Amino acid sequence: MNQTISSKTIRSVIAASSVGTMIEWYDFYIFGMLAKTISTEFFPEGNSTAALLSTLAIFAAGFIVRPRSALSYLAGWAISSEENIRSCLHWC
């Protein structure tokens, strides 16, 4: 099966991917900038250093989990359709 994909479709996929990536990184930026505020609001007041470190640990967990979830999504996508892999490799 030989499919042709229009350049308009490719541009819209690139634009949607770029917007999604921008929103995701903006979310990480906001969380990082508000880490001190989040630590004082969501953790007990006894030890501010431990609260900040806990907040930063949650922030780090986002970076650790994100690639793993992308790999699991890719594995599920690959298992579901071998044709998807062929079309992806064609464009890579």
Side-chain angles (χ1 to χ4, degrees), residues 75-90:
W77 177 69
I79 291 169
S80 68
S81 176
E82 189 175 314
E83 190 64 35
N84 288 338
I85 294 173
R86 288 187 186 131
S87 65
C88 180
L89 292 176
H90 173 74

Side-chain angles (χ1 to χ4, degrees), residues 5-23:
I5 300 174
S6 69
S7 61
K8 182 179 178 183
T9 302
I10 293 172
R11 280 191 215 113
S12 66
V13 168
I14 290 171
S17 298
S18 299
V19 168
T21 302
M22 182 180 68
I23 291 170

Side-chain angles (χ1 to χ4, degrees), residues 24-47:
E24 181 182 10
W25 282 106
Y26 181 71
D27 181 41
F28 274 108
Y29 170 75
I30 292 297
F31 188 89
M33 297 310 294
L34 293 176
K36 180 67 176 162
T37 304
I38 292 170
S39 69
T40 59
E41 294 295 321
F42 290 101
F43 291 100
E45 292 184 8
N47 191 348

Side-chain angles (χ1 to χ4, degrees), residues 35-36 39-40 43-57:
K36 180 67 176 162
S39 69
T40 59
F43 291 100
E45 292 184 8
N47 191 348
S48 62
T49 304
L52 182 60
L53 288 175
S54 298
T55 305
L56 293 176

